[in-house]
Amino acid sequence: MSESSPSSPVNPQVNPQKDREILRRRTFAIISHPDAGKTTLTEKLLYNGGIIHEAGEVKGKSGTKAATSDWMALEQQRGISITSSVMQFEYKGLRVNLLDTPGHKDFSEDTYRTLVAADSAVMLIDVAKGVEDRTKKLYEVCRYRNIPIFTFINKCDREGKAPLELIDEIETTLKMACWPVTWPVGVGGLFFGIYHRTRKVIYPYEGRDNDQDTAPIPVTSFDDPKLAERIRPEVLAAFKEEIELVDGTLGEFNHQAFLDGKMSPTTFGSAKQDFGVDLFLDLFKDWAPGPAARKTKTEHVVKPLDAAFTGFVFKMQANMDRKHRDRVAFIRICSGKFERGMKVHHMRLDREVRLAFSSQFLAQDRETVDEAYAGDIVGVNDTGLFQIGDSITTGKKVVFEDIPKFPPELFARLSVSDAMKRQKLQKGVKQLSEEGAIQLFIDPHVGHQDPIIGVVGELQFEVLIYRLEDEYGLDVKLVRTPFKVARWPKDKSGKPCADLKGNLQIFRDMNENPVVLLEQEWDLNWAKKENPDVEFASSINTVRDQYQL
Ligand code: G4P
């Protein structure tokens, strides 16, 4: 496609083709409790987006697709999703990026980072279970970032809670208003179909009854005898009562409240039966916001249509392709256009780097990408230049807001019995800590050969041991330490400080910042008492002070 049409104004700042591409980007993630149906919904979204021709091609718990990295075998063994990938599909003129997030709570930090790269989220709820623990936590992350949220109530083909009860549960637990766009006509064994409130149409569900006429039924009145001919009287009566209540109490949809994360357009369906997924996608097409403007560390806000290319790294992943032993930096593009081979300014390193090898992802397949636009995610092959949180730009200097790290809560000392393999261990833990899979702490007196590893969840240790063996051929010993807390001491001006009183043992993190590891809250209180001018921060912004803006 040509860069500009012959009729476009002769203004180097305006690039209609680029702007069109950016404006049609929609980037979102699904948040849910495990088992609510995220894998199934993802598969059906891709199917409806025309990417998957045979449902069942997405990596599922049964591992239907060949894994590109052997350690993904662990995911399949354990039936959990550890990696997160990005999937792209077209839907009615939109280019949709679906960011997959790991389901297990021990990988919540990875999920958090992924949500930073999303512009909206879909909260998936099991009709029988309602708002579950993990959904609530992920919802809070979205709320904190004011991400607009759609709600999809899944498994309507199964017995579940009454829809009004569910809506009430969501509203009271999450303090977010729901605005049902669709409503189920019956649930479970009595599920007849879905009523679309704005289209005023009932979509009958084929389900168990293959003879069911699935042609949409326009609804002019709920007393229309045509409805009574098709729908069981008790189902129709309950539906009528519910919908009259919903129509009567809900006002107009408030788009701004949605964009502020305060009102959620809600739809019902069954991902497994691919029922209601297209209705959800239509809603998504109409209402999902395009790439959001992004805040930076200065007053400057980066807007997606800005001429310069900007982006930030939100995820690192080593050894995605075992054949190439590579490392990929996932970059969320915030403004402008990406072109393979382009030179960008790397803000932390304060130097120019070339983005030579870039790819986009379709489930676990990777394709080289030559161009991408604000809203998209590109994976760039990394030779050690990138870290999570890095900002890059072709224009004026810009540093995006930090991606906070979660404070580790579990600690262990790692060692290898074979002294010849110590260097390999160092390399392995360094790479995995750069990926954000673990946090690394070095005792300056012992050095790198005996690192201490900090994690947020137990399963991260398991993955660490597995990957060190699988990817680096290391048979490691992991001994838990009694540490429970890591704190980064900072002086009054916010600079890292290692000059502490109270006989505190000082470690270094992967960026050489001083950090104290403590066994209990009491120790922390002691440390604070001994060092009243020091702030003991629960995470460190490792890069802020290095920027010269
Ligand atoms: P997750 O990624 O959120 O963990 O959930 P996943 O999609 O793996 O779905 C969890 C289970 O719920 C699966 O059953 C899946 O088939 C089922 N499921 C998902 N959506 C629906 C739905 O709309 N209706 C019904 N009835 N079931 C649904 P499973 O028994 O673990 O696997 P399978 O043998 O069904 O594949």
Side-chain angles (χ1 to χ4, degrees):
M1 216 185 281
S2 72
E3 273 295 284
S4 56
S5 65
S7 59
S8 64
V10 190
N11 176 349
Q13 294 301 309
V14 178
N15 179 342
Q17 192 262 349
K18 171 189 83 99
D19 290 1
R20 256 198 317 274
E21 284 298 331
I22 293 172
L23 292 172
R24 74 187 194 97
R25 260 53 188 176
R26 299 289 182 274
T27 303
F28 79 108
I30 302 174
I31 56 170
S32 63
H33 193 84
D35 262 0
K38 183 154 68 82
T39 312
T40 314
L41 180 65
T42 301
E43 185 178 286
K44 295 301 167 13
L45 289 171
L46 297 184
Y47 181 71
N48 279 278
I51 285 220
I52 293 180
H53 302 294
E54 293 281 327
E57 285 184 32
V58 180
K59 163 185 72 83
K61 287 179 178 172
S62 47
T64 41
K65 204 144 195 256
T68 48
S69 165
D70 286 359
W71 65 271
M72 285 175 192
L74 180 65
E75 296 185 308
Q76 290 166 5
Q77 265 172 32
R78 298 286 309 250
I80 51 168
S81 168
I82 297 167
T83 41
S84 50
S85 57
V86 186
M87 289 154 273
Q88 242 193 4
F89 59 94
E90 291 274 329
Y91 191 75
K92 299 191 177 170
L94 293 183
R95 173 67 68 92
V96 184
N97 295 303
L98 168 53
L99 309 182
D100 189 18
T101 53
H104 198 281
K105 68 171 176 32
D106 286 6
F107 300 94
S108 48
E109 194 171 359
D110 198 27
T111 303
Y112 183 92
R113 290 191 289 254
T114 303
L115 285 172
V116 173
D119 296 311
S120 62
V122 176
M123 179 169 73
L124 183 66
I125 286 181
D126 184 323
V127 72
K129 304 215 171 117
V131 179
E132 295 176 87
D133 210 32
R134 184 131 175 79
T135 320
K136 207 170 153 206
K137 294 220 167 63
L138 293 167
Y139 164 79
E140 274 155 16
V141 173
C142 293
R143 191 63 186 262
Y144 175 71
R145 298 200 49 245
N146 291 336
I147 301 179
I149 301 171
F150 292 91
T151 301
F152 186 95
I153 298 180
N154 192 27
K155 307 196 186 181
C156 289
D157 57 317
R158 271 200 199 162
E159 297 305 326
K161 299 188 184 188
L164 280 174
E165 189 191 328
L166 266 174
I167 298 291
D168 186 50
E169 184 180 329
I170 297 171
E171 297 197 335
T172 40
T173 327
L174 305 181
K175 314 259 177 304
M176 171 177 68
C178 291
W179 203 87
V181 179
T182 66
W183 196 262
V185 185
V187 188
L190 296 176
F191 184 44
F192 175 80
I194 283 175
Y195 173 61
H196 198 294
R197 288 180 59 232
T198 55
R199 292 184 190 169
K200 307 220 175 301
V201 168
I202 290 177
Y203 296 89
Y205 168 62
E206 188 178 8
R208 295 157 287 269
D209 174 9
N210 287 335
D211 296 331
Q212 169 88 281
D213 176 3
T214 54
I217 309 169
V219 180
T220 41
S221 152
F222 295 119
D223 297 320
D224 187 339
K226 273 201 300 235
L227 295 184
E229 275 168 32
R230 299 278 306 273
I231 306 169
R232 290 164 76 124
E234 72 276 22
V235 173
L236 184 58
F239 163 69
K240 206 177 125 187
E241 197 179 316
E242 287 164 1
I243 209 72
E244 280 171 357
L245 191 70
V246 170
D247 283 347
T249 47
L250 280 185
E252 291 290 296
F253 177 65
N254 182 337
H255 199 250
Q256 191 54 47
F258 162 59
L259 293 179
D260 295 340
K262 297 195 173 102
M263 180 180 270
S264 179
T266 303
T267 53
F268 291 78
S270 163
K272 188 168 178 176
Q273 309 297 342
D274 195 6
F275 188 73
V277 176
D278 55 343
L279 299 181
F280 163 74
L281 269 170
D282 281 349
L283 176 72
F284 181 85
K285 174 185 83 67
D286 291 340
W287 288 352
R294 297 263 165 178
K295 286 190 193 149
T296 66
K297 287 188 179 172
T298 60
E299 297 288 290
H300 180 62
V301 171
V302 170
K303 300 201 188 69
L305 296 182
D306 287 352
F309 162 87
T310 62
F312 64 85
V313 177
F314 68 96
K315 179 181 163 64
M316 301 289 304
Q317 177 100 50
N319 304 328
M320 282 192 75
D321 185 343
R322 295 294 298 276
K323 286 196 290 281
H324 300 107
R325 287 224 153 262
D326 59 351
R327 198 163 93 130
V328 177
F330 287 79
I331 295 167
R332 153 77 200 219
I333 305 175
C334 299
S335 67
K337 178 180 177 184
F338 165 91
E339 283 169 272
R340 187 156 65 92
M342 77 193 303
K343 286 185 183 151
V344 298
H345 191 78
H346 186 308
M347 291 299 298
R348 180 175 51 85
L349 301 179
D350 196 17
R351 59 170 267 212
E352 205 168 68
V353 297
R354 215 165 86 85
L355 305 179
F357 301 99
S358 46
S359 39
Q360 272 176 339
F361 300 82
L362 165 54
Q364 290 177 13
D365 291 336
R366 214 196 296 184
E367 280 173 15
T368 298
V369 62
D370 293 322
E371 295 178 354
Y373 296 87
D376 286 339
I377 312 295
V378 285
V380 175
N381 273 39
D382 177 42
T383 49
L385 296 178
F386 288 112
Q387 285 179 11
I388 291 169
D390 279 346
S391 301
I392 51 176
T393 173
T394 56
K396 84 178 237 192
K397 291 187 175 180
V398 64
V399 177
F400 292 98
E401 287 188 312
D402 285 322
I403 302 180
K405 275 191 171 158
F406 283 24
E409 288 165 18
L410 306 170
F411 297 83
R413 215 173 261 279
L414 259 193
S415 56
V416 273
S417 46
D418 183 350
M420 308 286 283
K421 293 204 165 163
R422 284 207 177 129
Q423 258 193 333
K424 224 174 179 183
L425 176 67
Q426 268 175 40
K427 187 177 159 203
V429 290
K430 181 170 175 287
Q431 285 188 344
L432 296 179
S433 66
E434 282 164 357
E435 237 186 67
I438 52 166
Q439 291 191 44
L440 174 62
F441 304 103
I442 303 297
D443 180 345
H445 303 296
V446 182
H448 282 260
Q449 48 189 288
D450 228 0
I452 289 184
I453 305 299
V455 295
V456 181
E458 192 70 48
L459 210 50
Q460 284 175 279
F461 278 143
E462 209 177 304
V463 172
L464 171 71
I465 295 173
Y466 188 96
R467 292 187 62 183
L468 285 173
E469 187 190 339
D470 189 46
E471 292 164 27
Y472 300 90
L474 293 169
D475 184 12
V476 296
K477 198 163 132 211
L478 186 134
V479 180
R480 294 289 284 272
T481 70
F483 297 127
K484 295 226 163 29
V485 183
R487 285 288 185 272
W488 281 260
K490 294 178 184 178
D491 66 16
K492 274 187 170 158
S493 64
K495 290 219 164 58
C497 88
D499 187 14
L500 299 176
K501 297 190 188 73
N503 224 354
L504 293 165
Q505 192 188 353
I506 297 180
F507 294 78
R508 298 277 160 179
D509 70 8
M510 75 171 198
N511 291 311
E512 295 292 324
N513 293 302
V515 55
V516 289
L517 302 182
L518 304 160
E519 290 183 21
Q520 50 192 341
E521 205 61 30
W522 189 90
D523 296 339
L524 180 59
N525 291 337
W526 162 263
K528 285 181 184 166
K529 214 166 129 219
E530 289 291 301
N531 301 277
D533 291 335
V534 175
E535 181 203 351
F536 288 88
S538 59
S539 77
I540 189 148
N541 171 4
T542 51
V543 285
R544 177 180 291 160
D545 302 323
Q546 298 166 23
Y547 293 121
Q548 301 295 315
L549 290 171

